[in-house]
Amino acid sequence: MTNITTLKSKIILGNWKMNMSREEVKTFFRDFLNLGPISEDTTIGLAVPAPYFSLVSDILNNSNYGILTGSQNVHWEKQGAHTGEISGQMLIDCNVNFSLVAHSERRTHYGETNHSASKRIKSCLGNNLVGVLCVGETREEYESNKTEAVLDTQVRESLDSLQESDTANLVIAYEPVWAIGTGLSATPNEAEQAHITIRKILKDLFPQTEHIPIIYGGSVNEKNATELLKVESINGFLVGGASLKAESFATICKA
Ligand code: PGA
């Protein structure tokens, strides 16, 4: 199964949210896989709607690309009376490699908290799934200079269930809420500051662990990807809207 130690130096993940039909999924991969190889040091993954797990993993297992299949959420219990939830074991059973945790849309619209994030991320790592913890400040917090304080609370509380030895499959996605789906990306400098803040918190929490990847998300597109990736502290992207089109996503993966 996937282990972050097998992830390459750059990680580009797509988040399809609640989009795509079966036919569109097939067309996406036919086009994407025809757009030619991506650099060997880039890990690519797509967090797809759960009904398409098997379709996507079948297509990907028959390709030579090593693209990871991802879920948009994961529950901490193995099984039971949790209508609408998916367990880590089920994801593994469906050949899923990673899961997003506490995406801002889950926090804003479905009441997810740092406390539930902590249980979800532990479930990922305990099931040998790569767990992608999403954090980021709202516009109001950004405008009142609270970004650092917000990240500090989110990262510490969402990771409070983990021991240092659990972190091998952990990825952090910094996604300022004001940049998600707005066309208004953070500048390379803003993203860099936030990534440096997160890196310091991780160092404090897990002093022995060298490299937990920190990726940036929020209106990443073909035009801004190259500039953002020049920032040393940005280890890749979580891409929403631009991951729905094979050509745009391929261009970002090749940036
Ligand atoms: P966006 O979404 O790229 O459309 O801004 C990013 C995300 O929600 O992960």
Side-chain angles (χ1 to χ4, degrees), residues 211-229:
H211 195 70
I212 294 167
I214 306 172
I215 61 177
Y216 168 79
S219 296
V220 173
N221 57 38
E222 310 95 294
K223 295 194 188 87
N224 58 24
T226 308
E227 274 308 298
L228 283 162
L229 267 189

Side-chain angles (χ1 to χ4, degrees), residues 43-70:
T43 296
I44 300 167
L46 281 158
V48 304
Y52 305 137
F53 288 156
S54 65
L55 173 62
V56 170
S57 75
D58 285 353
I59 295 172
L60 294 179
N61 286 343
N62 291 325
S63 77
N64 293 323
Y65 276 76
I67 300 169
L68 306 181
T69 308

